[in-house]
Amino acid sequence: MSGIGWTALGRVLTQVASFGLSVLLARLLTPADFGLLGITTVFTGFAALFAEMGFSAAIVQAREVEETHRSSVFWLNVGVGVATTLILAASSPLVAGFFSEPRLRWLMVALSLNFIIGSFSVVQRALLTRAMRFRALATVDTLSVVISGIGAVGLALSGWGVWSLVVQGLARAALATLLLWLQGSWHPRLHFRWASVRELLGYSAHLLGFNTLNYWVRNVDNLLIGRFFGSAELGIYTRAYSTMLLPVSQLTGVLGNVMFPALARIQDDAPRVKRAYLQALALIAFVTLPAMFGLAAVAHDFVIAVYGPRWARVAGVLQVLSIIGGLQSLQSTVGWLYRSQGRTDILLRWGLFAGAFLVAGIAVGVGLGSIESVAICYAVANLLLTYVNFSVPGRYIGMRAAEVLHATWRSILSSSAMAGLVALLAHELRSWGSPWSRLGLETASGGLLYAALAFGMNRATSKTLLGLLRTRGRKPAPPVGAT
């Protein structure tokens, strides 16, 4: 609970600052600026994968980690980071030519430095996570987001355009790396042993393969929209997608940071893992589903009030993505099971199947000719994968897909009913007052409706959540056998 508390605090502070700064930047910059960054991010975001190569999770999951493991992984990551930066910089002219956008060349060269910067912080972050030092991690993430974001706003006011976003990304990575070194007590030795790397490679290689595959699957919509519809349309789509991800990533991100190392510690006790997972899933559904379904109901007034009239087209895409985002908040948790049980090999095989299915759906949406159709086809493909997505990892802890539905159906039903009533209210208020006043009334009404529905239909999960909050400040009893 201490880990969840600090992770939640850090995530809330980080996302409030990030969202506020992104709103300011959205009003200072144009959709085309964000579209250019969206195209480059498809490639430079790859830095997050190759900067750590799956070894971060391997260090957290391993029962024992020695100094030779830590130092060897550190120097391997640095070498790969340098090589990847050089490769990406050299390929930037090809990317600029593919999208017929000369500005992409130097944007990619600058952002490719993230590969080198990120490689220096992988082991430090993994060791802090393994030790469950979430207070330190929350401090690092919050400070790096706030300081880099303030700098980006200042540059945007000075007329730097899309380069203000580039500097923001580089500054955030550099600050996070510096702070992680200051927070941690471990520093690498001039030592490399390939045998130590091989001991972690089986786990990390499969995880890297899945993360690589999953990354491109998640970004193929950006590639195709940028290629066939242009940077302005991509700017609208990415604004809707990033807005949808804000509430989706909050609780799942907070719990994921804590649940993975916690489940890894009890990985040999399948019934206990199953109980912990289903309880966490029920809590996620209880919080994220009303947020996502409610966002779909108020999407029009939310976009106009927060981003301004020139972003009005975001609303239609946001409605579709928000609905499927609620489902994704549940689906994304299966990674806890694959990783904590050491079955990254099965995770990779599942990624190959699911990735092909999602890419086919996105391609159909592009063929239909609009960003709205891309969002709809992406949502349908995700919905069709739901049953198998829970069934496959469930085998390793004795969990059936029906048990997932049993843990979440009350939240699904109460959230759907609330969102439907709020949508009717939004329709009736469409010509009343200002967008902010309508949004405030709709949000307050939705909150009250969900509270009433949850109290009547989902009282058990409500009590569980309150019980966890009450135990937050108590000192836990020592485990059996503790000295």
Side-chain angles (χ1 to χ4, degrees):
M1 287 309 300
S2 176
I4 291 173
W6 280 113
T7 305
L9 177 61
R11 184 60 64 93
V12 168
L13 293 175
T14 298
Q15 291 302 325
V16 168
S18 180
F19 182 71
L21 292 166
S22 70
V23 169
L24 288 175
L25 290 170
R27 291 184 174 273
L28 294 171
L29 304 176
T30 66
D33 289 329
F34 284 93
L36 285 172
L37 187 71
I39 293 173
T40 57
T41 301
V42 169
F43 299 95
T44 58
F46 221 28
L49 303 179
F50 281 94
E52 61 98 11
M53 298 179 62
F55 285 112
S56 177
I59 290 174
V60 175
Q61 193 269 345
R63 290 179 173 85
E64 295 183 3
V65 178
E66 300 176 355
E67 177 58 36
T68 56
H69 295 112
R70 294 188 288 265
S71 292
S72 299
V73 168
F74 177 87
W75 294 116
L76 179 62
N77 281 329
V78 171
V80 172
V82 172
T84 308
T85 294
L86 295 175
I87 293 171
L88 186 61
S91 63
S92 61
L94 298 177
V95 176
F98 179 78
F99 289 99
S100 301
E101 179 52 75
R103 290 177 292 177
L104 288 176
R105 179 178 181 180
W106 295 111
L107 290 174
M108 285 191 61
V109 170
L111 286 171
S112 68
L113 295 174
N114 273 314
F115 282 80
I116 296 177
I117 297 171
S119 67
F120 281 89
S121 64
V122 174
V123 176
Q124 281 75 4
R125 183 177 288 275
L127 292 176
L128 289 174
T129 302
R130 180 181 175 88
M132 301 188 79
R133 290 185 55 194
F134 297 108
R135 179 178 180 177
L137 292 171
T139 302
V140 169
D141 293 337
T142 302
L143 289 177
S144 59
V145 166
V146 171
I147 295 173
S148 63
I150 292 173
V153 171
L155 292 176
L157 288 170
S158 301
W160 280 51
V162 68
W163 282 98
S164 61
L165 301 175
V166 174
V167 174
Q168 180 186 21
L170 292 172
R172 179 176 179 178
L175 284 168
T177 299
L178 174 62
L179 292 172
L180 284 169
W181 276 69
L182 294 175
Q183 290 283 354
S185 59
W186 177 83
H187 298 100
R189 298 179 182 178
L190 292 175
H191 176 81
F192 182 87
R193 184 169 176 263
W194 182 248
S196 298
V197 173
R198 282 202 305 268
E199 291 175 7
L200 301 174
L201 194 59
Y203 181 98
S204 65
H206 287 114
L207 184 59
L208 176 61
F210 171 78
N211 287 339
T212 302
L213 174 67
N214 187 59
Y215 181 85
W216 289 111
V217 170
R218 298 301 179 187
N219 283 280
V220 71
D221 49 355
N222 292 341
L223 284 171
L224 294 177
I225 290 172
R227 177 66 178 84
F228 293 104
F229 300 153
S231 60
E233 290 289 279
L234 179 59
I236 292 171
Y237 182 85
T238 55
R239 174 57 51 185
Y241 199 93
S242 62
T243 302
M244 176 271 288
L245 281 181
L246 280 174
V248 168
S249 63
Q250 295 321 296
L251 189 58
T252 54
V254 168
L255 288 178
N257 288 342
V258 180
M259 289 292 291
F260 168 46
L263 293 179
R265 291 187 178 189
I266 59 171
Q267 57 187 278
D268 297 323
D269 189 347
R272 189 178 175 192
V273 172
K274 174 183 170 181
R275 289 195 302 270
Y277 176 75
L278 288 175
Q279 186 176 44
L281 203 64
L283 293 174
I284 290 173
F286 187 82
V287 176
T288 60
L289 292 185
M292 298 309 303
F293 292 0
L295 181 58
V298 304
H300 178 75
D301 288 327
F302 175 86
V303 169
I304 299 300
V306 175
Y307 296 125
R310 66 178 174 177
W311 293 91
R313 280 196 59 210
V314 170
V317 181
L318 180 59
Q319 285 181 315
V320 177
L321 292 179
S322 294
I323 295 173
I324 202 62
L327 179 61
Q328 284 188 333
S329 70
L330 305 178
Q331 289 183 333
S332 62
T333 62
V334 298
W336 307 348
L337 302 178
Y338 286 114
R339 294 191 298 157
S340 66
Q341 296 297 306
R343 297 314 308 260
T344 53
D345 55 334
I346 304 300
L347 178 62
L348 176 58
R349 295 175 191 174
W350 164 251
L352 289 169
F353 169 77
F357 195 80
L358 290 171
V359 169
I362 292 169
V364 171
V366 171
L368 293 176
S370 70
I371 57 176
E372 289 81 6
S373 63
V374 173
I376 292 171
C377 291
Y378 174 73
V380 171
N382 268 280
L383 184 62
L384 294 176
L385 288 172
T386 302
Y387 176 81
V388 183
N389 191 47
F390 286 107
S391 298
V392 174
R395 293 181 300 177
Y396 303 108
I397 59 171
M399 181 187 73
R400 295 175 288 109
E403 293 177 278
V404 173
L405 181 61
H406 178 74
T408 59
W409 74 267
R410 292 176 178 83
S411 294
I412 295 172
L413 188 58
S414 55
S415 298
S416 300
M418 176 274 295
L421 292 172
V422 171
L424 291 175
L425 176 62
H427 182 267
E428 295 298 323
L429 295 176
R430 63 187 182 278
S431 59
W432 174 82
S434 67
W436 277 111
S437 60
R438 293 195 299 270
L439 180 61
L441 181 58
E442 292 157 7
T443 303
S445 301
L448 292 172
L449 281 169
Y450 183 71
L453 290 168
F455 182 78
M457 299 176 56
N458 208 0
R459 196 171 302 180
T461 304
S462 303
K463 291 181 178 179
T464 299
L465 182 60
L466 291 174
L468 289 173
L469 294 175
R470 281 196 295 267
T471 61
R472 168 66 181 88
R474 299 177 187 171
K475 182 178 179 179
V480 175
T483 57

